[in-house]
Amino acid sequence: MENDYIRTDKRNRSLTLAATGLGFVVVLLDVSVVNVALERFRAAFGAGVSDLQWVVNAYTVTFAALLLTAGALGDRYGTRRVFVAGFAIFTAASLACGLSVSLATMLIARVVQGFGAAMLVPASLSLVHKSFADDPAARSRAVGIWAGSGGIALAAGPVVGGLLILHFGWRSIFLMDLPLGLIGITLTMRYAPKIPPSAGRSLDLAGQLSAIVALGTLTAGLIEAGPLGWGNPIVYGSIIACLFSVALFIRIESQGRDPMLPLDLFLNPTFSTSSVVGVLVNSAFYGFVFVLSLFFQGVQGYSPVQTGLAFLPMTAVLTVGNIIAGRLMAIRGPRMLMIAGQALAAIGYLSMLRVGADSSYIEIAIPMLLAGSGIALTVPPMTNASLSVVGPAKAGIASAVLNSARQVGGVLGVSLFGFLVRGATESAFMAGMRTSLIIAAGSLFAGSLASKVWVARPTRQAVAPVAVTPPVD
């Protein structure tokens, strides 16, 4: 039973921050490292493009669907307890991934990983806030370090994954989570604050179930449309089930006394637009990372290490760009950066249309850097805009909604772009890749226009930058 005291000395705070940062790191590593192993999964399991999409999305769908409810679990059962449980589940699932002998066992383990990740992320940030509750300045620095650890994981993940695959095989990218998980759990149990559960929100099981069904069936329909065709009963049945589940979810959330998603948040145009932009930005980013991974390894013959290094400039600029955007936001406000960032990213994607199977790396890298820079300029202002229009009492749920929207965007991007590049020949793949680029650019231009029209102009007061996760939580 958790008791009611909080350790506040500097050593315990630092080690708690290390544990929570480690939890965030493993969650993001298992997003980024998987992409450099796609060709190894194809060889090991005889997997097609749709199978590879499921390896990525089984994790992300579960993560996205459970993220809203996971925050309520911390309030109800204790933040530290939920964090440790999430870390244990994630670590055990990583072991199962590393020992998988079939695609089916891999997918089940990835689903469980997503469940653990959904418990980890909200609880980790909550532990940081509570550990530094009596020192706002130290808390801001701690949140910045926490977010920065995610940026480092995002940038280093493809390279680390490529090196592990080269020297130890694809299973090592999952097995590396074991020592990290044990260290994180040990540090949390010894040094994290013990805080009693509070009277948190209800778990809204009916809303949660309908959300899972809606997202799962939509993903299934988009992924299986490739191998089965749009006329297949499984495909259109999945789409119908998705529409029914969405309607049911809206009804449950609009009538519930304590909904996991308060629909009145979307009455504010700035919040609604920021959430839509979150979907569009992550769809473009993660969808094309999936396609580029297949392009580098399947078309240009890159090794996993070379693929990881190829992504390094773009992921590095994302980390640096988040910091720059936070500073620019204090001067220009979020609206202008959201407009400019999405437009810049769209130009980057359009610049990649001239890339061919025999293009040099520099011809690919420059558009990648443009796209990455634009997305990096968009994410912090988008987060700031969404949180600035809700009261403090709803800041937590607003953050969860935005992060859920971004995860949904990642799922949709991988599903749709993977469908477009499903062709068996190189020419069919390249045609699908160019269509993906056009869709990504078009959606980002639309998001830029929506930001211009509906995101509120900044007030005369300086806009305080907020620490945010990279385009992954």
Side-chain angles (χ1 to χ4, degrees):
M1 178 71 179
E2 291 182 314
N3 54 39
D4 58 0
Y5 70 87
I6 301 177
R7 295 187 177 106
T8 56
D9 63 88
K10 183 178 292 188
R11 179 169 178 266
N12 286 341
R13 283 179 168 180
S14 298
L15 291 172
T16 297
L17 179 59
T20 55
L22 198 57
F24 193 32
V25 163
V26 296
V27 168
L28 295 193
L29 278 176
D30 275 70
V31 174
S32 57
V33 299
V34 167
N35 282 294
V36 299
L38 293 177
E39 287 298 321
R40 300 299 173 95
F41 294 149
R42 192 200 296 267
F45 300 124
V49 172
S50 63
D51 298 321
L52 298 177
Q53 289 172 279
W54 276 118
V55 171
V56 175
N57 277 344
Y59 177 81
T60 315
V61 166
T62 312
F63 187 20
L66 296 176
L67 197 54
L68 284 172
T69 294
L73 288 175
D75 292 335
R76 180 175 288 257
Y77 299 108
T79 303
R80 192 180 81 155
R81 184 176 297 164
V82 170
F83 181 77
V84 170
F87 226 145
I89 291 170
F90 186 92
T91 304
S94 297
L95 175 61
C97 286
L99 299 179
S100 294
V101 294
S102 68
L103 184 65
T105 55
M106 168 68 79
L107 294 180
I108 293 171
R110 288 286 283 171
V111 167
V112 179
Q113 258 194 329
F115 177 59
M119 296 175 68
L120 270 175
V121 172
S124 67
L125 187 54
S126 180
L127 275 176
V128 173
H129 273 272
K130 292 172 181 176
S131 297
F132 294 85
D134 60 345
D135 189 343
R139 183 176 64 224
S140 296
R141 291 192 297 269
V143 172
I145 293 170
W146 178 86
S149 68
I152 293 171
L154 183 66
V159 179
V160 172
L163 290 171
L164 287 172
I165 292 168
L166 176 66
H167 295 290
F168 305 106
W170 66 263
R171 298 180 188 276
S172 62
I173 66 174
F174 298 112
L175 297 179
M176 72 172 176
D177 291 335
L178 270 66
L180 299 179
L182 292 174
I183 293 170
I185 291 171
T186 301
L187 289 176
T188 305
M189 294 297 293
R190 292 192 62 181
Y191 301 107
K194 295 182 178 180
I195 304 165
S198 59
R201 294 178 290 116
S202 70
L203 297 184
D204 189 10
L205 295 180
Q208 180 65 81
L209 181 60
S210 60
I212 292 172
V213 173
L215 189 53
T217 52
L218 175 61
T219 305
L222 291 175
I223 289 178
E224 297 305 323
L228 300 179
W230 286 102
N232 187 278
I234 294 177
V235 175
Y236 63 73
S238 296
I239 301 300
I240 292 172
C242 172
L243 295 175
F244 176 80
S245 299
V246 169
L248 180 62
F249 176 77
I250 292 174
R251 180 173 181 177
I252 292 170
E253 298 307 289
S254 62
Q255 296 181 354
R257 290 185 301 176
D258 193 11
M260 72 176 188
L261 177 57
L263 297 180
D264 61 339
L265 287 173
F266 295 100
L267 295 177
N268 185 291
T270 295
F271 182 85
S272 298
T273 303
S274 297
S275 299
V276 171
V277 168
V279 173
L280 298 178
V281 165
N282 268 38
S283 176
F285 180 76
Y286 283 108
F288 204 66
V289 165
F290 179 84
V291 171
L292 270 182
S293 297
L294 295 176
F295 171 76
F296 283 138
Q297 296 177 74
V299 176
Q300 295 210 316
Y302 282 23
S303 69
V305 174
Q306 290 173 320
T307 301
L309 291 171
F311 279 118
L312 184 59
M314 184 174 72
T315 52
V317 81
L318 282 168
T319 303
V320 175
N322 275 335
I323 298 172
I324 295 173
R327 294 180 177 177
L328 289 175
M329 195 161 44
I331 303 171
R332 303 295 301 178
R335 178 175 176 269
M336 184 57 67
L337 289 180
M338 289 175 67
I339 296 169
Q342 290 177 89
L344 179 61
I347 292 171
Y349 284 121
L350 290 178
S351 300
M352 217 175 294
L353 284 173
R354 60 186 178 182
V355 168
D358 57 351
S359 294
S360 66
Y361 177 68
I362 193 67
E363 292 178 273
I364 306 168
I366 293 174
M368 286 173 65
L369 288 174
L370 286 175
S373 298
I375 288 173
L377 289 177
T378 303
V379 173
M382 173 186 72
T383 305
N384 186 289
S386 66
L387 296 183
S388 66
V389 294
V390 301
K394 291 187 176 181
I397 187 63
S399 177
V401 169
L402 179 60
N403 280 289
S404 295
R406 291 168 60 190
Q407 294 303 319
V408 169
V411 171
L412 295 178
V414 171
S415 301
L416 177 60
F417 293 2
F419 168 77
L420 293 172
V421 298
R422 70 195 184 283
T425 65
E426 183 179 292
S427 60
F429 178 91
M430 294 304 300
M433 177 171 158
R434 293 188 179 97
T435 302
S436 300
L437 286 167
I438 293 171
I439 292 173
S443 64
L444 289 168
F445 276 129
S448 179
L449 179 61
S451 300
K452 179 178 176 62
V453 175
W454 287 301
V455 173
R457 294 179 181 274
T459 63
R460 291 182 178 272
Q461 294 177 338
V463 179
V466 294
V468 296
T469 62
V472 178
D473 3 51

